Amino acid sequence: MKNPSSLYVHVPFCEQICHYCDFNKFFLKNQPVADYIEACGSEMRMSESVAPIETVYIGGGTPTALEDEQLERLLELIHKHFTIKPSAEFTVEVNPGSASKETFTMMKRYGVNRLSIGAQTFDTGLLKAINRDHGEGDVEASIQLARHAGITDISVDMMFGLPGQTMEQWQQSLIKLVSLPISHVSAYSLKIEPKTVFYQMWNRGALKLPNQDMEAEMYDWLYEYLHENDFQAYEISNFAKPGYESLHNQAYWNNDGYVGIGAGAHGYVNGVRHRNHGPLPKYLKAIEAGEMPWIESHQVPVNEQMEEEMFMGLRKRIGVNGHRFEKRYGLTVEDAFPGTVSKLQERGLLQKEENHYRLTRQGLLLGNEVFEAFLLP
């Protein structure tokens, strides 16, 4: 595996915790933010990649919950410890209404050229139900500020299958979405994850969710409506105008290596996957001791790499490149997974064209079944 050319940096601080979120995050107030940023710098020094970095993604949490000086320091450290290619895709996650024009101008100065804005919905009642701390107008305001600062490649995150959400609410949110000057959309159905407020509500029967048929209808409407408005589905949950597909996310889906920095971050370097300590005290203590802050690491066996190649690659509309698979593993897809391809083709879930394996439209709706079929004994 080549040296990783993608970098992920995790900022685990939020000013408000969303009811659905299971990412590693902490309330911002009274946290050792400055110490954390310097600790990330120390981890970067220990993780320096010899390959020029082609994609950077700063996620969270809420990176823009940091003060401008703190975020600027983090950007300085990234440039200090990694060689960022001038052409690199450089993304920062933004909470609507949490960044000023000065913030965006500073980001632009450090090479940030893409934003991922977490809208989730444009319905005021639903925003309150999921405990978001922005109003529906904050998304457009943030986009305009960013564009004035020169950052024009903008992605917006949306969610469907929210508690009490109707088809009309979903459609109205998407109509509002495509009216904005954006280039990319990530849209996900709500998943009830342990250790979230929604999980507690679901356990006691206090969470009313759309049924699976309604979720499927919402996805179908999303797919067709975005297609009509020049957003092409290049992955199950991701849609882009031509030329604006996320390069960073494609590194994950191509099963390529990446450097992961920060509390709770994951990395995949030279065939070794690792996961960092999530709790801040444990992360900071490891860094203070001059150690990598890994809670676990393991060399990924070849059979696991092949499984992941299929799981991740089939998420893309272009699918899995059979030539690339054979070059990596010395086996064809059919040899690695005997009988699996033909069975999925018979069920109408998988198609093969010019040695590319991809999900059919029906396969998109039953993706998990397809992925499970590629689990090796």
Side-chain angles (χ1 to χ4, degrees), residues 36-49:
Y36 177 77
I37 292 170
E38 296 306 319
C40 284
S42 296
E43 187 186 0
M44 291 177 199
R45 175 176 49 78
M46 292 186 280
S47 306
E48 288 176 348
S49 173

Side-chain angles (χ1 to χ4, degrees), residues 229-263:
N229 285 276
D230 203 27
F231 290 89
Q232 304 303 314
Y234 70 103
E235 190 265 352
I236 290 177
S237 301
N238 286 269
F239 306 78
K241 290 192 172 179
Y244 288 95
E245 297 83 0
S246 168
L247 300 177
H248 186 84
N249 285 345
Q250 288 184 76
Y252 298 148
W253 302 324
N254 289 333
N255 206 27
D256 293 332
Y258 56 93
V259 178
I261 301 292

Side-chain angles (χ1 to χ4, degrees), residues 42-283:
S42 296
E43 187 186 0
M44 291 177 199
R45 175 176 49 78
M46 292 186 280
S47 306
E48 288 176 348
S49 173
V50 296
I53 296 297
E54 297 174 2
T55 75
V56 182
Y57 194 103
I58 303 178
T62 310
T64 48
L66 302 180
E67 296 176 2
D68 282 3
E69 295 78 9
Q70 295 169 334
L71 181 55
E72 183 171 12
R73 176 58 178 159
L74 184 63
L75 293 168
E76 284 177 352
L77 288 167
I78 290 171
H79 282 280
K80 177 180 178 180
H81 294 293
F82 296 95
T83 301
I84 311 298
K85 292 183 73 171
S87 60
E89 177 190 271
F90 200 137
T91 307
V92 175
E93 286 186 354
V94 175
N95 203 42
S98 66
S100 65
K101 183 180 178 182
E102 289 72 27
T103 309
F104 292 125
T105 300
M106 178 270 292
M107 287 187 199
K108 175 72 173 176
R109 193 164 65 247
Y110 282 89
V112 175
N113 53 24
R114 185 176 183 273
L115 303 176
S116 177
I117 299 179
Q120 316 312 349
T121 176
F122 289 93
D123 185 275
T124 302
L126 288 174
L127 285 171
K128 185 176 180 181
I130 62 179
N131 205 39
R132 295 290 287 170
D133 60 356
H134 72 271
E136 57 94 12
D138 290 335
V139 177
E140 185 169 4
S142 291
I143 290 171
Q144 295 303 336
L145 288 175
R147 289 177 64 83
H148 286 153
I151 304 176
T152 57
D153 187 357
I154 296 173
S155 176
V156 174
D157 284 359
M158 300 292 289
M159 295 182 73
F160 59 96
L162 298 174
Q165 186 178 32
T166 65
M167 178 62 84
E168 183 181 2
Q169 287 173 317
W170 178 232
Q171 291 171 340
Q172 289 302 315
S173 280
L174 292 180
I175 291 168
K176 173 64 178 177
L177 176 72
V178 301
S179 73
L180 301 174
I182 63 173
S183 48
H184 188 281
V185 177
S186 295
Y188 303 95
S189 64
L190 174 67
K191 295 290 184 287
I192 305 301
E193 303 286 1
K195 300 180 182 179
T196 64
V197 172
F198 275 168
Y199 183 77
Q200 297 166 12
M201 294 172 66
W202 180 73
N203 262 347
R204 62 175 188 266
L207 199 64
K208 182 184 177 184
L209 299 172
N211 60 36
Q212 287 186 333
D213 288 342
M214 174 65 79
E215 277 201 18
E217 288 178 27
M218 287 178 168
Y219 181 82
D220 272 343
W221 205 86
L222 161 80
Y223 189 98
E224 295 296 341
Y225 186 69
L226 290 185
H227 181 77
E228 291 168 9
N229 285 276
D230 203 27
F231 290 89
Q232 304 303 314
Y234 70 103
E235 190 265 352
I236 290 177
S237 301
N238 286 269
F239 306 78
K241 290 192 172 179
Y244 288 95
E245 297 83 0
S246 168
L247 300 177
H248 186 84
N249 285 345
Q250 288 184 76
Y252 298 148
W253 302 324
N254 289 333
N255 206 27
D256 293 332
Y258 56 93
V259 178
I261 301 292
H266 296 239
Y268 186 31
V269 180
N270 297 325
V272 176
R273 286 199 185 277
H274 73 264
R275 177 167 63 97
N276 284 357
H277 286 290
L280 287 183
K282 290 187 176 182
Y283 176 80

Side-chain angles (χ1 to χ4, degrees), residues 236-347:
I236 290 177
S237 301
N238 286 269
F239 306 78
K241 290 192 172 179
Y244 288 95
E245 297 83 0
S246 168
L247 300 177
H248 186 84
N249 285 345
Q250 288 184 76
Y252 298 148
W253 302 324
N254 289 333
N255 206 27
D256 293 332
Y258 56 93
V259 178
I261 301 292
H266 296 239
Y268 186 31
V269 180
N270 297 325
V272 176
R273 286 199 185 277
H274 73 264
R275 177 167 63 97
N276 284 357
H277 286 290
L280 287 183
K282 290 187 176 182
Y283 176 80
L284 294 172
K285 184 178 179 181
I287 295 293
E288 201 173 295
E291 301 170 354
M292 295 301 287
W294 297 354
I295 190 172
E296 64 177 5
S297 67
H298 74 285
Q299 183 78 40
V300 182
V302 172
N303 66 324
E304 210 174 298
Q305 291 183 38
M306 292 192 298
E307 291 173 349
E308 291 174 355
E309 189 91 9
M310 301 306 295
F311 298 164
M312 303 303 289
L314 285 173
R315 292 189 62 87
K316 300 179 297 178
R317 289 301 291 133
I318 196 172
V320 173
N321 184 319
H323 297 298
R324 172 187 162 108
F325 186 98
E326 188 171 359
K327 185 176 179 180
R328 274 192 170 183
Y329 307 109
L331 293 169
T332 66
V333 172
E334 281 86 349
D335 287 340
F337 304 94
T340 301
V341 171
S342 58
K343 288 176 184 176
L344 291 170
Q345 285 176 315
E346 288 169 10
R347 294 181 60 194

